[in-house]
Amino acid sequence: MQNKGAIRFFTIVLALVSIYQLLFTVFAQKVERDAREYADGDVRLERAYLDSMRSEVVYNILFKKYTYQDCKEREINLGLDLKGGMNVILEIAVEDIIRSLAAPQYIGDPLFTETMSLAREKKRTSQSDFVDLFAESFEELNPGAQLAQFFMTPETRGDIDFNTTNEEVVEFLKEETEDAVDNSYNVLRNRIDRFGVVQLNIQKLERQGRILVELPGVKEPERVTKLLTGTANLEFWTTYQSAEVWQYLEEANNLLAGILQSEEVLEEESLLAEAAQPDTADEPEGEESLLDIPEDELLLDTSELDLLTDMDTARMYDDEQAQFYRENPLLAVLTPYLDNQRNFIPGSAVGVVLLKDTATVNRYLSIPQIRQLFPSDLQFAWHFQPEGAEQQFVRLHALKATRNNQPAMGGKYVTDARVGTDPYTGEFEVNMSMNSEGAKRWANLTRENVGEAIAIVLDGLVYSAPTVSEEIKGGSSSISGSFTQAEAEDLSNILKSGKMPARARIESSEVIGPSLGAESVRDGLNSFLIAFLVVLAYMVFYYSRRGGLVADIALLANMFFLIGVLASLQAVLTLPGIAGIILTIGMSVDANVLIYERIREELTAGKNLKTAIKDGYRNAYSAIFDAQITTFLTGLILFFFGTGPIKGFATTLVIGILTSLFSAIILTRLIYENMLTRGRSITFDTRLTRNAFKNTKIDFLGSRRVFYLISAGVILAGALSLATKGLNLGVDFSGGRNYVVTFRQDVQTLDVARDLENVFGEAPTVITYGEKSTVRITTKYLIDDDRPEVDSIIKAQMFSGLQPYLDQDVALDDFLNSQEYIISSHKVGPTIADDIKRAAIIVIFASLLIIFLYILFRFRNWQFGLGALAALVHDVILVIGLFSLLHGVMPFSLELDQSFIAAILTVVGYSINDTVVVFDRIREYVGLQRKRERKEIFNTALNSTLSRTFSTSLSTFFVLLAIFLFGGDVIRGFTFALLIGVVVGTYSSLFIATPVVYDTIKKDETIRVLKGTLRK
């Protein structure tokens, strides 16, 4: 073995890098373990502990110090299925963007409306951009007409006029759409940053208008949904000065005290009345209760804040403080915004409020009697960012509306915004530019409000309220406010985001609760350990203590390097990813098996141990590389074309193949050479396995027609089942919603389906999900409804239908947000489902084509490529047919989803792996035994590889069986497909692939073809 020194050096470096990367995870988890012990179950204490550790150094190596935050960012990322969280694919409504660009007089025009409707209908079944569909629909409805007529507005002056062609209009619309999507992307990132997610992933997808958002660890899916789907609405408001507003606030405080006292009296009278007449007491009439004010009337969505009423607050203090709260309920929670001399600070901020009291202020200011005290054009809005030493205060601004109760100016006129610095102070500022129409409006607005503040408001929150010093002409101005660079960049993005507000629809979403994630981690680790121990034990059993232990060392090293590389690449580890690692264990055994079988053959031929090992490695290389490269190509296709769990599976599979090749070929060779140098004896079999598969003479080709008939019969049965019974298409392919709901007691799926049918109007599919107390509900109810609140509506309906199975004290909010009942949900819209189906077909055919071309290249004739392709098509059809036949028979779900496609392609990779080994042996025997008949050569090749086929297939099967039994319900269907695939793939490599090659090579072409095969 040459270059031993370089190989040893590379191995040591790879090991050190792996240790270095894995230590980030070790130290991050140590801090989190300390936090859990310190908090003793108190979530707030645990969070506070982790926040205090963010800047603390926890990892010190080679003079480099890493804080907990650094370690957290570099640790092994767990996917949503292991950590819990939310995965959303949003689609920005391009039709809204087109509508916003159209001239106001055309928005209600019948032609424009009909064109939009037709384009919307086409979009359901088309992969084209909506802009192209819009133009195509316009041409169908009004051939030869000019599209420019819809979009000639003051804002588009210079871009579109009477001479603009339809093609130029389409190009303009696409550019504007792309800008709008970019701006929406910035807005979404700014919004998501409020959640403090460490391993946030947000990216634009290839399909126009789609954005992927992954939020690991998020526990408030309803709130996130509202935040993500709200339109980015940028506005400029004139404001009141704080001193002007305080006279109204003091009046409101006094009136509020009287209302609360009346409320308290009414509450006491009501309690007395209920005590006296518990069965007949009527609800008292009078002033509207604070608790009866609809939550949607609040100025700020405060679902994340403690809702403290005045009475609750009063009870927290002594009598004197309680009396102050009763007499000054508003002033007790709203502090004037004053300077050090106790004077009002000029500007729109009227006061500051503790974060926990914002809900109380909202409640007070929403009372109709209080509203009437303020001017009709006065509106209140919160500042977007808390302030103070502990970020516990938030400012309240006073905005002034126009006559139509609208802002003074909309944000659509802003064309650009960028970060700059004040030339005199050096502070960061934001410079913004407007179009010509906006420049005129901005000049008028600033001229009329010199000395006053103009508030910049996004989605109802005030981001900045600078004071106007002079009239600003030309549409260019700067905003200063003691910004950090990051704050200035955020504000510039916000200003640009208001250019083209558009709805964001959730086309696909997946929510996994932390409890289900923890269960997946446990199941995944259990299956991993069991599979690993099975393989380690098998290698020692079959190849002896010495030979088996060396192979086991290679497997352990393989796992270590694989995890280290995953950590170095910041790859996301998912449950299918763990399955990929486990499958890598089973398939990496193949390289050791090929080498060991070759060594055993050389020893049988009479060679000494050192020569046998050397020749065994050399002769096994061709089969090893051919087999692993075909699987590697399959993994690459999965990686580049797959999404979500498929990509995670492919990542671990591809990396695992590379690390297993290094471990099996390089490390084991170094170990054996070291053992030979020390004169140690080495064996590669045991008494039980020494003569296994020796001198077998099975006539595979003589029985080929029988197996052709067997395969044809199974395929025909599957085809009939597909034609009559069909496949159980999951929501990935059919569209719809999955909800995994858990109850405190066992439930009957038929009863749950019947009760939900009463509220949905259609029967959902309900199956047991693991325990009988947990079910998975699949429905297409309102799947075409794109309203932002539709998910909440569906869950509310589901809550109503599931009442018989829930505790009486469970409230709707608890059911929606606690994740104690809905532990996971998955939604796929119709357009996403079409995309997934199309991508799945492309991936399968691309895999088959690439493997056919590789076999053609390696073996230099089409017969071998055809044989491999026939076996692969045979395997795919058989697995799909068996899924149809067994659907409804097996006690678990057999549905087709993205993971099933990953399973199919893994089966393809495994099957071709086995087939290539046989082909490689045929090629070898042609060179050694040229005078023998082709039938004898083929049969000898098949018999000589039986030991390898048995060992690899059996070890892989037991690995997958461990995943199937202990890996959890999430991937049971996935592993069942792999189990079938291993059996079918082994069968086809013996009874389909080689016989097809044999039958397609005519007798008079045998010598020429096989000689061509011999010339690599």
Side-chain angles (χ1 to χ4, degrees):
M1 188 176 182
Q2 299 177 349
N3 301 318
K4 294 180 185 178
I7 293 172
R8 289 194 182 98
F9 176 76
F10 176 78
T11 304
I12 293 171
V13 170
L14 182 59
L16 290 176
V17 170
S18 298
I19 293 171
Y20 169 77
Q21 291 293 338
L22 291 173
L23 282 176
F24 288 114
T25 302
V26 171
F27 285 109
Q29 291 185 350
K30 180 181 181 302
V31 172
E32 291 167 5
R33 186 169 58 251
D34 294 342
R36 287 192 295 272
E37 293 175 358
Y38 169 79
D40 193 23
D42 190 320
V43 178
R44 289 178 299 177
L45 282 177
E46 182 179 343
R47 189 182 299 119
Y49 183 94
L50 294 176
D51 288 341
S52 68
M53 291 294 296
R54 288 190 181 277
S55 57
E56 294 293 324
V57 175
V58 297
Y59 180 16
N60 190 349
I61 184 171
L62 297 178
F63 309 106
K64 179 69 174 178
K65 297 178 179 180
Y66 296 98
T67 64
Y68 165 65
Q69 180 72 18
D70 296 330
C71 292
K72 190 66 180 172
E73 292 173 352
R74 291 173 172 84
E75 73 171 348
I76 296 177
N77 296 333
L78 295 181
L80 301 184
D81 51 1
L82 298 178
K83 190 175 183 178
M86 191 171 186
N87 174 300
V88 176
I89 294 180
L90 296 162
E91 183 165 14
I92 307 303
V94 177
E95 57 190 271
D96 287 358
I97 300 170
I98 294 175
R99 190 176 287 108
S100 69
L101 289 168
Q105 65 270 22
Y106 281 109
I107 292 179
D109 182 79
L111 177 59
F112 183 83
T113 304
E114 192 174 352
T115 301
M116 291 292 283
S117 179
L118 181 58
R120 197 181 304 115
E121 187 65 30
K122 287 183 176 183
K123 183 177 179 294
R124 296 179 183 273
T125 57
S126 174
Q127 296 298 300
S128 300
D129 292 341
F130 188 85
V131 174
D132 290 328
L133 295 176
F134 176 79
E136 179 184 308
S137 301
F138 176 78
E139 183 65 25
E140 287 181 15
L141 295 172
N142 200 0
Q146 278 191 301
L147 193 57
Q149 60 180 312
F150 289 150
F151 303 102
M152 287 187 294
T153 65
E155 290 80 11
T156 61
R157 189 174 301 153
D159 294 308
I160 295 180
D161 54 32
F162 287 108
N163 298 319
T164 305
T165 65
N166 288 357
E167 290 74 16
E168 291 172 336
V169 172
V170 168
E171 188 64 29
F172 169 78
L173 292 177
K174 285 185 176 181
E175 291 176 0
E176 293 296 310
T177 297
E178 188 62 32
D179 289 344
V181 172
D182 290 341
N183 293 331
S184 298
Y185 174 87
N186 292 329
V187 171
L188 289 172
R189 176 171 287 280
N190 287 328
R191 291 176 176 183
I192 293 168
D193 282 343
R194 294 172 55 189
F195 289 94
V197 178
V198 176
Q199 293 168 342
L200 163 70
N201 177 30
I202 175 170
Q203 56 182 293
K204 288 183 288 183
L205 302 180
E206 292 182 5
R207 176 91 177 252
Q208 184 188 46
R210 285 185 182 168
I211 297 173
L212 169 68
V213 179
E214 290 184 330
L215 300 168
V218 166
K219 300 176 182 178
E220 300 168 295
E222 289 296 313
R223 177 183 166 218
V224 174
T225 298
K226 291 178 182 177
L227 191 72
L228 294 179
T229 54
T231 56
N233 190 19
L234 176 67
E235 300 166 336
F236 298 93
W237 290 73
T238 55
T239 61
Y240 278 91
Q241 288 289 331
S242 56
E244 297 178 77
V245 179
W246 262 94
Q247 57 178 325
Y248 303 115
L249 291 174
E250 290 174 349
E251 293 179 23
N253 178 71
N254 296 332
L255 178 58
L256 185 60
I259 293 175
L260 293 179
Q261 289 175 13
S262 300
E263 189 79 19
E264 189 173 6
V265 170
L266 287 171
E267 183 179 357
E268 292 177 358
E269 291 177 353
S270 175
L271 291 173
L272 291 173
E274 289 180 9
Q277 298 177 340
D279 297 327
T280 59
D282 294 328
E283 193 171 314
E285 298 180 0
E287 300 290 351
E288 183 183 19
S289 169
L290 295 178
L291 299 177
D292 292 333
I293 297 175
E295 189 172 347
D296 58 6
E297 291 185 16
L298 300 182
L299 300 179
L300 176 68
D301 179 7
T302 56
S303 58
E304 75 277 26
L305 302 174
D306 297 328
L307 301 178
L308 301 178
T309 65
D310 58 295
M311 293 297 107
D312 294 330
T313 305
R315 294 188 187 100
M316 295 170 58
Y317 300 94
D318 56 31
D319 293 342
E320 184 177 347
Q321 290 173 315
Q323 183 63 28
F324 175 77
Y325 268 85
R326 288 191 179 92
E327 295 177 355
N328 301 280
L330 182 59
L331 300 185
V333 291
L334 177 62
T335 304
Y337 201 54
L338 306 174
D339 59 18
N340 294 333
Q341 283 73 42
R342 308 294 297 171
N343 296 320
F344 287 107
I345 297 176
S348 61
V350 298
V352 294
V353 179
L354 283 170
L355 273 174
K356 69 181 183 66
D357 291 330
T358 54
T360 303
V361 173
N362 286 334
R363 203 178 288 272
Y364 290 161
L365 297 179
S366 299
I367 298 174
Q369 298 96 310
I370 301 299
R371 286 177 178 170
Q372 293 175 4
L373 295 176
F374 299 103
S376 59
D377 62 350
L378 172 59
Q379 295 190 20
F380 291 101
W382 296 104
H383 200 72
F384 84 105
Q385 190 175 41
E387 57 190 41
E390 298 181 2
Q391 299 290 293
Q392 58 181 332
F393 294 97
V394 62
R395 271 179 275 170
L396 183 67
H397 293 265
L399 310 181
K400 183 183 294 185
T402 62
R403 293 179 182 177
N404 298 324
N405 205 33
Q406 296 295 316
M409 182 175 169
K412 65 180 181 180
Y413 303 105
V414 175
T415 58
D416 191 26
R418 55 197 177 279
V419 178
T421 54
D422 189 303
Y424 300 104
T425 65
E427 291 186 344
F428 289 103
E429 61 183 17
V430 177
N431 302 313
M432 64 178 181
S433 304
M434 300 181 181
N435 59 23
S436 57
E437 179 67 18
K440 295 177 183 177
R441 291 173 179 264
W442 187 242
N444 294 333
L445 183 60
T446 52
R447 183 178 64 251
E448 294 170 0
N449 290 277
V450 173
E452 301 291 333
I454 293 180
I456 300 169
V457 180
L458 181 71
D459 293 336
L461 298 178
V462 177
Y463 275 72
S464 178
T467 299
V468 179
S469 57
E470 60 182 352
E471 177 186 352
I472 302 174
K473 299 180 179 180
S476 297
S477 59
S478 57
I479 303 171
S480 58
S482 300
F483 299 124
T484 65
Q485 183 175 3
E487 289 171 341
E489 289 173 351
D490 288 345
L491 182 55
S492 68
N493 286 333
I494 289 162
L495 289 171
K496 287 186 286 190
S497 73
K499 179 182 179 183
M500 203 78 66
R503 290 175 298 146
R505 292 194 298 263
I506 293 182
E507 287 295 322
S508 172
S509 68
E510 184 172 17
V511 179
I512 298 175
S515 61
L516 186 60
E519 182 180 344
S520 298
V521 171
R522 184 180 65 252
D523 292 339
L525 289 177
N526 288 341
S527 62
F528 174 81
L529 291 174
I530 292 170
F532 200 60
L533 291 175
V534 166
V535 173
L536 294 179
Y538 177 79
M539 294 303 289
V540 173
F541 163 76
Y542 199 87
Y543 291 106
S544 81
R545 183 171 59 86
R546 287 279 173 86
L549 282 177
V550 173
D552 290 347
I553 291 171
L555 286 175
L556 290 168
N558 182 24
M559 287 301 98
F560 174 68
F561 292 143
L562 173 56
I563 301 298
V565 172
L566 286 173
S568 301
L569 297 178
Q570 293 289 288
V572 178
L573 186 61
T574 62
L575 197 56
I578 292 178
I581 293 175
I582 299 171
L583 187 61
T584 299
I585 296 172
M587 297 183 70
S588 65
V589 171
D590 185 53
N592 290 112
V593 169
L594 284 169
I595 292 170
Y596 284 9
E597 291 299 323
R598 280 294 193 173
I599 292 174
R600 290 171 64 174
E601 289 178 12
E602 302 300 335
L603 289 171
T604 302
K607 296 181 180 180
N608 62 50
L609 181 61
K610 184 175 182 180
T611 304
I613 291 176
K614 179 180 178 181
D615 291 346
Y617 272 90
R618 186 182 67 250
N619 293 331
Y621 286 156
S622 177
I624 289 174
F625 285 113
D626 280 338
Q628 297 293 340
I629 286 174
T630 51
T631 308
F632 183 81
L633 291 173
T634 304
L636 286 181
I637 293 170
L638 282 170
F639 180 82
F640 287 111
F641 292 98
T643 58
I646 295 181
K647 191 178 286 288
F649 174 79
T651 301
T652 55
L653 185 63
V654 167
I655 296 173
I657 288 172
L658 297 176
T659 56
S660 65
L661 284 174
F662 174 77
S663 302
I665 295 176
I666 305 298
L667 287 187
T668 57
R669 185 74 180 275
L670 287 175
I671 294 173
Y672 283 131
E673 294 205 357
N674 182 267
M675 293 173 70
L676 290 172
T677 302
R678 297 185 179 186
R680 294 185 178 181
S681 63
I682 307 171
T683 57
F684 295 93
D685 52 34
T686 64
R687 289 182 180 180
L688 294 174
T689 62
R690 185 161 299 147
N691 296 315
F693 302 101
K694 287 279 185 74
N695 301 317
T696 56
K697 296 181 180 180
I698 301 173
D699 187 5
F700 289 97
L701 296 182
S703 306
R704 66 188 186 281
R705 291 182 176 84
V706 175
F707 292 108
Y708 286 165
L709 290 174
I710 292 174
S711 294
V714 178
I715 290 174
L716 180 61
L720 291 174
S721 179
L722 286 170
T724 57
K725 189 177 177 181
L727 289 166
N728 179 23
L729 295 180
V731 296
D732 284 349
F733 293 145
S734 63
R737 290 178 172 85
N738 277 340
Y739 298 97
V740 177
V741 184
T742 185
F743 305 96
R744 300 189 189 280
Q745 73 283 340
D746 292 350
V747 296
Q748 296 296 322
T749 55
L750 291 178
D751 295 338
V752 173
R754 184 190 62 248
D755 292 333
L756 288 176
E757 183 179 7
N758 294 333
V759 295
F760 287 161
E762 57 186 45
T765 301
V766 182
I767 62 172
T768 301
Y769 197 79
E771 303 293 334
K772 288 187 177 180
S773 60
T774 303
V775 298
R776 192 184 69 182
I777 301 166
T778 303
T779 178
K780 291 188 177 182
Y781 179 60
L782 297 182
I783 191 61
D784 292 321
D785 193 327
D786 61 1
R787 288 177 293 170
E789 66 274 13
V790 68
D791 286 321
S792 297
I793 293 172
I794 294 171
K795 290 179 182 178
Q797 293 284 77
M798 190 161 60
F799 174 73
S800 175
L802 296 177
Q803 283 298 306
Y805 316 101
L806 300 173
D807 294 339
Q808 293 183 352
D809 58 346
V810 177
L812 177 60
D813 286 344
D814 295 331
F815 184 78
L816 293 179
N817 295 305
S818 68
Q819 292 188 322
E820 183 180 350
Y821 299 96
I822 303 178
I823 58 177
S824 106
S825 64
H826 184 201
K827 173 203 171 182
V828 177
T831 56
I832 292 287
D834 288 340
D835 292 350
I836 293 173
K837 281 189 288 189
R838 187 173 287 101
I841 294 171
I842 292 173
V843 165
I844 291 176
F845 278 101
S847 300
L848 296 176
L849 177 62
I850 286 177
I851 289 174
F852 171 79
L853 293 175
Y854 179 79
I855 298 297
L856 185 65
F857 168 76
R858 287 292 287 150
F859 293 89
R860 301 298 175 90
N861 67 80
W862 63 268
Q863 286 93 343
F864 280 86
L866 179 63
L869 185 62
L872 297 181
V873 173
H874 165 273
D875 296 344
V876 171
I877 294 175
L878 267 186
V879 173
I880 294 175
L882 287 172
F883 254 59
S884 177
L885 281 168
L886 297 175
H887 163 52
V889 177
M890 305 303 290
F892 49 87
S893 174
L894 290 180
E895 68 177 23
L896 269 66
D897 54 15
Q898 292 191 78
S899 295
F900 177 81
I901 300 303
I904 286 289
L905 292 184
T906 304
V907 168
V908 167
Y910 177 85
S911 177
I912 196 63
N913 186 318
D914 207 7
T915 301
V916 165
V917 172
V918 177
F919 286 179
D920 187 79
R921 188 60 64 95
I922 292 173
R923 178 171 57 188
E924 179 185 348
Y925 283 177
V926 169
L928 296 175
Q929 305 168 6
R930 301 191 179 196
K931 295 183 178 181
R932 297 177 66 183
E933 293 184 0
R934 58 174 184 153
K935 183 177 181 180
E936 188 178 355
I937 291 175
F938 279 49
N939 272 327
T940 303
L942 286 166
N943 280 283
S944 65
T945 56
L946 269 183
S947 180
R948 174 263 166 201
T949 300
F950 173 81
S951 293
T952 301
S953 299
L954 191 65
S955 58
T956 305
F957 184 85
F958 278 120
V959 165
L960 291 172
L961 186 63
I963 307 174
F964 176 76
L965 295 176
F966 306 104
D969 296 285
V970 177
I971 56 172
R972 185 149 289 148
F974 170 73
T975 49
F976 184 72
L978 291 178
L979 280 170
I980 295 176
V982 168
V983 176
V984 171
T986 303
Y987 166 84
S988 68
S989 66
L990 294 173
F991 302 110
I992 301 298
T994 305
V996 167
V997 175
Y998 176 80
D999 284 333
T1000 53
I1001 299 177
K1002 296 179 181 179
K1003 288 186 178 181
D1004 57 348
E1005 293 182 320
T1006 302
I1007 300 300
R1008 179 179 59 80
V1009 171
L1010 294 182
K1011 283 184 177 180
T1013 301
L1014 182 62
R1015 294 192 300 272
K1016 297 180 182 179

